[in-house]
């Protein structure tokens, strides 16, 4: 494979999307999770922008990092059941209040960017899919595949990184944010 094709100039790479039910969960409860690695590069300062937004909403931005060793991994989970709809960022429930509006705006902007991203800019690194995706796709849960070859593991996790799935998933997350905002503002 040509190494030039693995260079990312979008500020975002390794975007994955998964739908799942947390166990134990409420009847009819579903989560949608979009995860990615944020970077600063020629076309975007997505990681710096993320850190700037966090500084607006908290005195401890690192509390919102995926983990201390992976501050540039972003996992957004939309949870809904019959009576609740909430959003989590790297495992932190985002309360809908004036203070958190910059973060909701950032997520809406980011998911719009992803849903409109040309497919040739949607870079997914093979090593990421094979070795890191299982712990980054769902915050707080690791998708385990014991006794499986590296090739089969890559093939299994690769389905979460299909470009059409990602674009559709980003639109679903964006719609989720919009619905939360409409409810908050009484629209």
């Amino acid at each position: 494979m040509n190494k030039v094709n693995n260079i990312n100039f979008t500020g975002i790479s390794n975007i994955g999307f998964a739908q799942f039910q947390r166990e134990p969960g409420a009847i009819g409860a579903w989560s949608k999770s979009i995860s990615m690695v944020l970077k600063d590069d020629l076309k975007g300062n997505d990681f710096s922008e993320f850190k700037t937004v966090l500084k607006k909403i908290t005195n401890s931005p690192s509390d919102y990092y995926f983990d201390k060793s992976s501050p540039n991994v972003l996992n957004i989970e939309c949870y809904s059941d019959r009576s609740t709809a909430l959003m989590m960022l790297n495992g932190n429930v985002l309360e809908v209040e004036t203070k958190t509006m910059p973060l909701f705006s950032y997520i809406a902007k980011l998911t719009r960017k992803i849903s409109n991203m040309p497919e040739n800019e949607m870079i997914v690194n093979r090593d990421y899919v094979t070795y890191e995706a299982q712990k980054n796709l769902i915050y707080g849960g690791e998708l385990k595949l014991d006794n499986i070859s590296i090739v089969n593991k890559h093939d299994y996790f690769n389905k979460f990184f299909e470009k059409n799935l990602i674009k559709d998933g980003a639109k679903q997350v964006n719609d989720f944010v919009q619905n939360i905002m409409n409810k908050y503002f009484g629209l």
Side-chain angles (χ1 to χ4, degrees):
M1 174 179 233
N2 184 346
K3 293 203 183 262
V4 173
N5 290 336
N6 281 328
I7 296 174
N8 179 31
F9 293 111
T10 63
I12 309 167
S13 65
N14 300 314
I15 308 165
F17 181 75
Q19 294 185 85
F20 58 97
Q21 289 184 299
R22 288 206 179 262
E23 295 293 330
I27 295 173
W30 280 94
S31 285
K32 298 174 184 186
S33 176
I34 190 164
S35 64
M36 65 205 73
V37 177
L38 301 175
K39 298 179 181 189
D40 293 336
D41 60 25
L42 296 176
K43 283 192 177 179
N45 293 318
D46 294 287
F47 185 49
S48 292
E49 189 176 346
F50 175 59
K51 292 188 297 187
T52 299
V53 170
L54 288 180
K55 288 177 185 173
K56 290 179 182 178
I57 68 157
T58 181
N59 293 325
S60 302
S62 63
D63 291 346
Y64 286 83
Y65 290 166
F66 190 80
D67 63 40
K68 304 298 185 230
S69 64
S70 303
N72 59 335
V73 172
L74 181 63
N75 183 284
I76 302 163
E77 183 177 335
C78 304
Y79 169 88
S80 61
D81 61 31
R82 292 180 183 161
S83 62
T84 306
L86 58 91
M87 182 165 278
M88 291 174 272
L89 177 77
N90 291 335
N92 296 283
V93 173
L94 297 179
E95 299 297 331
V96 183
E97 55 191 9
T98 303
K99 176 182 161 183
T100 59
M101 286 302 121
L103 197 47
F104 281 99
S105 294
Y106 173 77
I107 292 169
K109 177 183 167 190
L110 187 66
T111 53
R112 270 192 313 275
K113 181 178 180 178
I114 293 168
S115 66
N116 293 312
M117 187 179 286
E119 288 188 9
N120 65 335
E121 292 183 13
M122 299 176 84
I123 306 302
V124 179
N125 303 94
R126 183 175 181 89
D127 285 348
Y128 181 87
V129 172
T130 305
Y131 300 107
E132 298 180 52
Q134 65 191 46
K135 66 179 189 257
N136 293 351
L137 282 169
I138 298 173
Y139 185 85
E142 186 171 332
L143 301 171
K144 296 212 182 236
L145 295 176
D146 296 328
N147 302 321
I148 188 168
S149 73
I150 297 291
V151 171
N152 289 340
K153 183 187 264 189
H154 176 78
D155 290 345
Y156 175 80
F157 285 111
N158 206 39
K159 67 183 175 186
F160 297 106
F161 296 90
E162 291 177 3
K163 294 172 179 169
N164 288 334
L165 176 71
I166 293 166
K167 287 167 130 328
D168 184 56
K171 183 173 178 350
Q172 289 178 46
V173 172
N174 190 275
D175 290 346
F176 194 89
V177 171
Q178 187 65 47
N179 289 336
I180 288 174
M181 292 299 98
N182 288 346
K183 188 173 182 180
Y184 177 73
F185 291 112
L187 301 176

